[in-house]
């Protein structure tokens, strides 16, 4: 080949995937929506890891964020409101070889889907869960969500939300067998990508809360943090989220935090100013339920029938 030495090894993969291979339908999110940054980050991870599109499943419930599977050129399931987790767990239970991304919003996950969310944390099945948290029901036109700040004016509470918001990090960190909890923001693409990369590489239920603005209803919610990054606390540690030094330099407020420290993570989850971003907790040794459900899956049908007959014979009269 012209330009290459004859003795150079050249191993060409029979399939090489570009970003276009993971692009599905044209996104219909509002201009400026943070969902677009999250979608791009996931497609970059798939490209960088060269995961065949047919080995990926995107699962969602209902909401703006839950249109995610339509925009990935992979297998996908856009299900019922709050029901993304049982579908994802079912897929992982029978097809542990697939890569799963779960897209869920603050209304979808933290309201109608709460019971499924809590048990999915405990099951600790291997999947990357992205909580698109814009603090409002955007798809149904500005209703109070479980994470709406107290006092936020919405269509359902025009004089301001009455109750303090639910803390998704605190809830997740309080569930038995939690294995990975991180927080990032949609307006820092480098930190967003690094966080989702770490979540994807973690074996287990990787929960990433992504703080974002709804450009239509909560567009100015994080103006202060965007203009003054000192309102964010960058968590650092050699076992944490690794970001480019140029990105880290933006944050004057930094804290070294060992992600194995669960009590420390629970304390950080309660802090709002400065708001922690990075890896709060990670324990790679927590058991994954899908490891148990996958036992015997490669057994031939004949052997399964033989084992079933043997078991039933135990109860023969």
């Amino acid at each position: 080949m012209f330009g290459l030495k004859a003795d150079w090894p050249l191993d060409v993969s029979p399939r090489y995937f570009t970003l276009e291979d993971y692009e599905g339908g044209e996104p219909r999110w509002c201009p400026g929506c943070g969902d677009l940054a999250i979608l791009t980050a996931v497609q970059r991870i798939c490209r960088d890891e060269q995961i065949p599109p047919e080995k990926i499943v995107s699962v969602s419930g209902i909401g703006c964020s839950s249109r995610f599977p339509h925009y990935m050129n992979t297998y996908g399931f856009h299900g019922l409101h709050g029901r993304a987790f049982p579908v994802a767990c079912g897929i992982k239970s029978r097809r542990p070889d697939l890569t799963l991304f779960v897209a869920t919003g603050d209304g979808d996950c933290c309201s109608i889907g709460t019971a499924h969310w809590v048990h999915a944390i405990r099951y600790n099945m291997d999947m990357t869960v992205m909580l698109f948290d814009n603090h409002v029901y955007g798809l149904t036109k500005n209703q109070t969500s479980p994470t709406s700040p107290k006092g936020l004016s919405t269509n359902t509470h025009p004089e301001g939300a009455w109750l303090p918001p639910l803390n998704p990090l605190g809830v997740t960190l309080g569930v038995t067998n939690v294995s990975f909890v991180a927080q990032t923001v949609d307006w820092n693409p480098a930190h967003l990508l690094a966080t989702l990369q770490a979540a994807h590489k973690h074996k287990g239920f990787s929960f990433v809360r992504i703080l974002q603005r709804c450009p239509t209803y909560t567009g100015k919610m994080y103006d202060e943090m965007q203009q003054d990054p000192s309102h964010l606390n960058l968590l650092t540690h050699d076992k944490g989220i690794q970001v480019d030094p140029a990105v880290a330099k933006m944050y004057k407020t930094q804290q070294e935090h060992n992600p194995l420290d669960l009590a420390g993570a629970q304390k950080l989850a309660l802090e709002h100013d400065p708001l922690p971003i990075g890896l709060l907790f990670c324990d790679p040794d927590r058991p994954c339920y899908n490891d148990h459900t996958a036992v015997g899956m490669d057994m031939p049908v004949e052997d399964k029938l033989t084992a079933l007959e043997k078991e039933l014979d135990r109860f023969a009269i």
Side-chain angles (χ1 to χ4, degrees), residues 194-249:
T195 304
L196 292 179
Q197 284 174 327
H200 168 66
K201 290 178 180 175
H202 174 77
K203 185 181 180 230
F205 188 91
S206 307
F207 182 83
V208 181
R209 182 194 191 192
I210 305 167
L211 295 170
Q212 62 177 129
R213 304 140 297 164
C214 169
T216 304
Y217 302 114
T218 59
K220 297 184 180 299
M221 180 167 286
Y222 292 114
D223 276 2
E224 192 174 11
M225 287 185 182
Q226 289 182 274
Q227 293 166 8
D228 182 2
S230 67
H231 290 289
L232 292 170
N233 180 15
L234 182 68
L235 302 180
T236 62
H237 196 273
D238 57 359
K239 295 180 180 177
I241 306 295
Q242 307 303 319
V243 295
D244 188 280
V247 175
K249 196 174 180 180

Side-chain angles (χ1 to χ4, degrees), residues 165-179:
L166 180 147
N167 184 331
L169 299 179
V171 172
T172 306
L173 288 165
V175 176
T176 304
N177 209 32
V178 58
S179 71

Side-chain angles (χ1 to χ4, degrees), residues 232-236 248-256:
L232 292 170
N233 180 15
L234 182 68
L235 302 180
T236 62
K249 196 174 180 180
M250 295 169 52
Y251 297 98
K252 296 178 182 176
T253 308
Q254 300 189 11
Q255 177 180 341
E256 184 166 304

Side-chain angles (χ1 to χ4, degrees), residues 8-21:
W8 278 11
L10 182 61
D11 295 325
V12 180
S13 173
R15 298 177 73 192
Y16 181 81
F17 305 106
T18 65
L19 282 178
E20 288 74 17
D21 291 311

Side-chain angles (χ1 to χ4, degrees), residues 70-81:
H70 296 278
Y71 308 141
M72 290 285 289
N73 185 29
T74 63
Y75 285 106
F77 193 98
H78 186 178
L80 299 176
H81 202 195

Side-chain angles (χ1 to χ4, degrees), residues 138-154:
L139 188 69
T140 46
K141 311 301 182 189
N142 197 29
Q143 297 164 326
T144 302
S145 93
T147 65
S148 296
K150 190 175 181 180
L152 180 71
S153 176
T154 66

Side-chain angles (χ1 to χ4, degrees), residues 81-82 85 104-118 131-133 135 137 145-148 165-169 171-172 207 209:
H81 202 195
F85 291 119
T104 182
D106 43 291
D108 186 67
C109 174
C110 305
S111 182
I112 194 169
T114 304
H116 299 305
W117 168 37
V118 168
L131 175 64
F132 296 54
D133 192 357
H135 314 285
Y137 286 89
S145 93
T147 65
S148 296
L166 180 147
N167 184 331
L169 299 179
V171 172
T172 306
F207 182 83
R209 182 194 191 192

